[in-house]
Amino acid sequence: MGRLDPTDDTNFYDTPRLVTHIDERAIESLTEYYREEFMQVYNKKQAKIDILDLCSSWISHFPTDMQDKYGLTVGIGMNEEELLQNKQLYMHYVQDLNKTPLLSQFEDDSFDIVTNVVSVDYLVKPKEIFQEIHRVLRPGGCALMSFSNRCFPSKAISMWLQADDIGRLSIVGSYYHYAADWKSIEALDVKIPPVDTPKRPSMQDIMSNPSKAFAWASTAGAVAKMNSGDPLFVVKGTK
């Protein structure tokens, strides 16, 4: 798959980036979505859940209050320093999935959940990777591919840059469809619903207490910023 920058990804990711790539509201939305999915799998399994985080970094956005429900948490990423900073991983591997898409270090049916956060757009061998995701998932397990509208344009595949949100959902859905026989494939908007803008004080209230106008303007501005932040989508495949 074509990219603006086809050079070795190892060079691009050589310097650790200890930053988040989506805004706080989108991160909150993802963590809450994970909570729902993780609890559903945990309740069905009645045992600790094993998770594989692909294209992992220094943070995985898993709910921190569910640590007692996690079994093996494994990350695969591009930068050793970033992975060492991730306290939610039990173990990790440095692996360029665009060079080595096979997850040969894992046996069949090894994980209950596979996650990938805002990185599916960088995969140049998606069919091979999604075949491997299906292989390492246990029956009934799920893969959760999340993305927003941000990316490193030079490293995203060309058709991703040309697509809108619906097109990108279709791209990821096709990765699942053509890679393996999934029980179900779902396209989801998981962004937390918008926050209501506070009621504007009346002119009488403002005249009697001007500070109410400043308080309202500050709060309304914060709400508007929150509601206009990064979108967040997930394409979920269940084995």
Side-chain angles (χ1 to χ4, degrees), residues 23 25 149-150 191 194-195 221-231:
D23 65 25
R25 187 72 169 174
N149 58 1
R150 293 198 202 183
K191 186 73 176 287
V195 177
V223 168
K225 182 178 180 181
M226 184 182 302
N227 289 341
S228 63
D230 298 335

Side-chain angles (χ1 to χ4, degrees), residues 12 23 46 49 59 95 109 155 171 204 225 238:
F12 184 82
D23 65 25
Q46 289 296 301
I49 55 176
I59 186 170
Q95 180 176 336
D109 306 336
K155 285 298 183 182
I171 289 170
Q204 182 178 354
K225 182 178 180 181
T238 302

Side-chain angles (χ1 to χ4, degrees), residues 149-205:
N149 58 1
R150 293 198 202 183
C151 68
F152 296 120
S154 62
K155 285 298 183 182
I157 60 170
S158 58
M159 68 176 177
W160 190 271
L161 300 178
Q162 298 163 9
D164 59 11
D165 292 336
I166 298 299
R168 290 165 182 163
L169 287 165
S170 299
I171 289 170
V172 181
S174 71
Y175 289 170
Y176 282 100
H177 177 75
Y178 290 106
D181 184 16
W182 298 85
K183 183 183 295 183
S184 65
I185 303 169
E186 305 170 68
L188 308 165
D189 180 346
V190 301
K191 186 73 176 287
I192 293 174
V195 177
D196 292 335
T197 302
K199 183 179 179 180
R200 183 174 181 172
S202 67
M203 185 58 68
Q204 182 178 354
D205 289 336

Side-chain angles (χ1 to χ4, degrees), residues 12-227:
F12 184 82
Y13 295 104
D14 184 58
T15 301
R17 295 178 173 88
L18 302 181
V19 297
T20 54
H21 300 287
I22 47 178
D23 65 25
E24 291 183 5
R25 187 72 169 174
I27 291 172
E28 181 185 0
S29 300
L30 179 60
T31 300
E32 287 306 306
Y33 174 72
Y34 277 166
R35 186 188 311 282
E36 295 176 10
E37 291 293 338
F38 290 6
M39 281 302 302
Q40 184 175 344
V41 175
Y42 175 81
N43 290 334
K44 183 177 181 180
K45 185 180 180 183
Q46 289 296 301
K48 292 185 176 184
I49 55 176
D50 300 317
I51 307 170
L52 174 62
D53 190 28
L54 295 180
C55 304
S56 191
S57 181
W58 69 283
I59 186 170
S60 294
H61 307 302
F62 301 159
T64 56
D65 58 350
M66 291 183 62
Q67 294 292 134
D68 61 324
K69 296 175 174 61
Y70 302 150
L72 185 66
T73 52
V74 183
I76 292 181
M78 290 289 293
N79 187 280
E80 175 74 14
E81 185 173 336
E82 290 181 4
L83 293 167
L84 286 171
Q85 293 288 327
N86 193 328
K87 305 306 180 185
Q88 293 192 306
L89 300 179
Y90 177 80
M91 61 188 299
H92 68 265
Y93 298 87
V94 175
Q95 180 176 336
D96 184 349
L97 294 173
N98 285 337
K99 284 185 176 178
T100 311
L102 299 183
L103 304 173
S104 56
Q105 62 270 55
F106 307 119
E107 297 181 355
D108 295 357
D109 306 336
S110 291
F111 296 97
D112 301 295
I113 298 171
V114 176
T115 59
N116 177 288
V117 181
V118 297
S119 295
V120 69
D121 44 325
Y122 305 129
L123 302 178
V124 300
K125 298 180 179 179
K127 183 177 181 180
E128 293 92 329
I129 293 170
F130 276 71
Q131 287 174 336
E132 284 292 273
I133 291 172
H134 188 271
R135 180 184 67 78
V136 302
L137 274 173
R138 294 176 179 131
C142 60
L144 309 173
M145 304 289 118
S146 62
F147 61 89
S148 185
N149 58 1
R150 293 198 202 183
C151 68
F152 296 120
S154 62
K155 285 298 183 182
I157 60 170
S158 58
M159 68 176 177
W160 190 271
L161 300 178
Q162 298 163 9
D164 59 11
D165 292 336
I166 298 299
R168 290 165 182 163
L169 287 165
S170 299
I171 289 170
V172 181
S174 71
Y175 289 170
Y176 282 100
H177 177 75
Y178 290 106
D181 184 16
W182 298 85
K183 183 183 295 183
S184 65
I185 303 169
E186 305 170 68
L188 308 165
D189 180 346
V190 301
K191 186 73 176 287
I192 293 174
V195 177
D196 292 335
T197 302
K199 183 179 179 180
R200 183 174 181 172
S202 67
M203 185 58 68
Q204 182 178 354
D205 289 336
I206 294 173
M207 294 299 291
S208 62
N209 186 355
S211 64
K212 288 186 177 181
F214 292 107
W216 174 83
S218 176
T219 304
V223 168
K225 182 178 180 181
M226 184 182 302
N227 289 341

